[in-house]
Amino acid sequence: GQVIADGLRHDLEQYWKLARNLPAMAKALARSHDTGVRGTARRRPGFGPQTPLNVAIDAERGFATASIPLAEVHAIAAAHDATVNDVVLSICAGALRRYLGRHGGVPQQPLVAAMPVSLHGPGKVELTTQATIARIDLATDIADPVQRLRIIRDATHAAKETVSRTKALVPMDFPTIGVPWLLHGLAAVYGRPSVANRVPRVVNLVVSNVHGPARPMYLAGARVLHHWPLSIVGHGLGLNVTVESYAGSLEFGVMTALAAVPRPRSFADALLASFEQLQARSRAR
């Protein structure tokens, strides 16, 4: 009885903190719309367009990989005052243009990516998960890869500024009473094709980029040549691109629902082609 009472008290306190911080969060988000950002004009992402990637899925999965030299990505980032993550997003955007150009056409409206953002401050080493999701305009409506990279650079810069303003207001410990039943019910409803194929797209795909081992790893004396990450997909999100650095390379793991992306190898090849195009245009400047 004491454990249950303590749990209820804790959840009620968290609900109260969340409700109390909502006005301050709304003000911080409103102020972020008025903040100027360097470079090209910032574009706030709206709903993403409907694409073949965004449908109800079944149990069938596909997986493909790609590896890109990390030093070359650093060179591209330095040439455009961008970050490695900006270049990764730009490569993914170029791959989306290539893939969708062969599968239904490139939408006039830019696709939107969900990008995980860490909330750990400098020097934080505790083994806890503190992250949020930022929505990034991938500028897939822009054909020029350099202009597209600059738009993405500014979009990620604006998103991180917004996160830095609001993270102190977001509780790290959320109440959980009733959450499992709520999530199960929502997932069951959203999993119906009649719903998943019609709901407005908050995002079109997930792109995650994390640091990995800088030195080669070994297993029973054998060097691990590649370290490709695996992630998950869901209804309405049939493509997940997870990237991890490893021993001088960026390792792309492309996880797909076959109902959305039946040939994941073609998308992985589009990633390599997108990188080569961006590299060539960066060198030519």
Side-chain angles (χ1 to χ4, degrees):
Q2 184 63 41
V3 170
I4 293 174
D6 289 344
L8 289 171
R9 186 181 305 109
H10 175 266
D11 271 22
L12 289 174
E13 289 174 354
Q14 293 306 107
Y15 277 121
W16 166 244
K17 289 179 182 178
L18 184 61
R20 185 180 59 191
N21 285 338
L22 284 177
M25 289 179 63
K27 290 180 181 179
L29 289 171
R31 285 197 303 269
S32 68
H33 284 268
D34 301 326
T35 302
V37 179
R38 64 185 181 182
T40 57
R42 180 179 59 193
R43 307 188 310 179
R44 290 281 174 182
F47 286 115
Q50 176 62 35
T51 76
L53 312 177
N54 308 118
V55 295
I57 66 174
D58 55 24
E60 299 295 326
R61 299 289 179 268
F63 182 68
T65 64
S67 297
I68 293 174
L70 182 57
E72 298 293 337
V73 174
H74 275 295
I76 294 172
H80 302 288
D81 194 22
T83 66
V84 168
N85 190 62
D86 297 336
V87 177
V88 167
L89 290 169
S90 184
I91 291 170
C92 291
L96 287 166
R97 281 184 57 87
R98 289 175 178 272
Y99 180 83
L100 293 175
R102 301 185 182 98
H103 299 82
V106 180
Q108 294 183 350
Q109 184 181 353
L111 274 69
V112 179
M115 181 186 74
V117 178
S118 174
L119 296 178
H120 281 288
K124 297 292 184 179
V125 295
E126 66 268 17
L127 298 178
T128 58
T129 300
Q130 295 184 12
T132 188
I133 297 291
R135 298 171 62 248
I136 304 297
D137 176 352
L138 289 181
T140 50
D141 55 323
I142 304 298
D144 181 78
V146 170
Q147 184 182 357
R148 187 166 59 240
L149 170 58
R150 290 176 175 175
I151 291 175
I152 291 172
R153 176 197 65 189
D154 294 346
T156 58
H157 182 72
K160 290 174 182 177
E161 279 192 343
T162 300
V163 168
S164 66
R165 288 193 186 93
T166 58
K167 68 178 182 180
L169 304 174
V170 178
M172 293 294 105
D173 187 8
F174 284 92
T176 57
I177 292 178
V179 171
W181 294 279
L182 176 63
L183 293 180
H184 177 77
L186 291 174
V189 172
Y190 190 63
R192 299 173 183 172
S194 60
V195 177
N197 295 343
R198 296 180 181 178
V199 171
R201 305 299 164 194
V202 178
V203 296
N204 295 105
L205 75 158
V206 179
V207 180
S208 180
N209 175 30
V210 297
H211 288 290
R215 296 181 179 179
M217 297 187 298
Y218 293 82
L219 179 62
R223 177 171 174 166
V224 177
L225 299 181
H226 294 282
H227 197 261
W228 292 306
L230 288 160
S231 193
I232 60 173
V233 291
H235 290 300
L237 290 172
L239 174 62
N240 185 308
V241 182
T242 304
V243 186
E244 185 170 350
S245 59
Y246 170 63
S249 293
L250 281 183
E251 306 282 74
F252 287 72
V254 179
M255 178 63 72
T256 75
L258 293 185
V261 184
R263 297 177 60 193
R265 181 69 255 164
S266 63
F267 184 82
D269 290 341
L271 287 170
L272 296 174
S274 174
F275 161 69
E276 291 171 357
Q277 182 189 38
L278 181 58
Q279 184 184 45
R281 288 281 286 107
S282 297
R283 288 175 175 173
R285 294 186 61 83

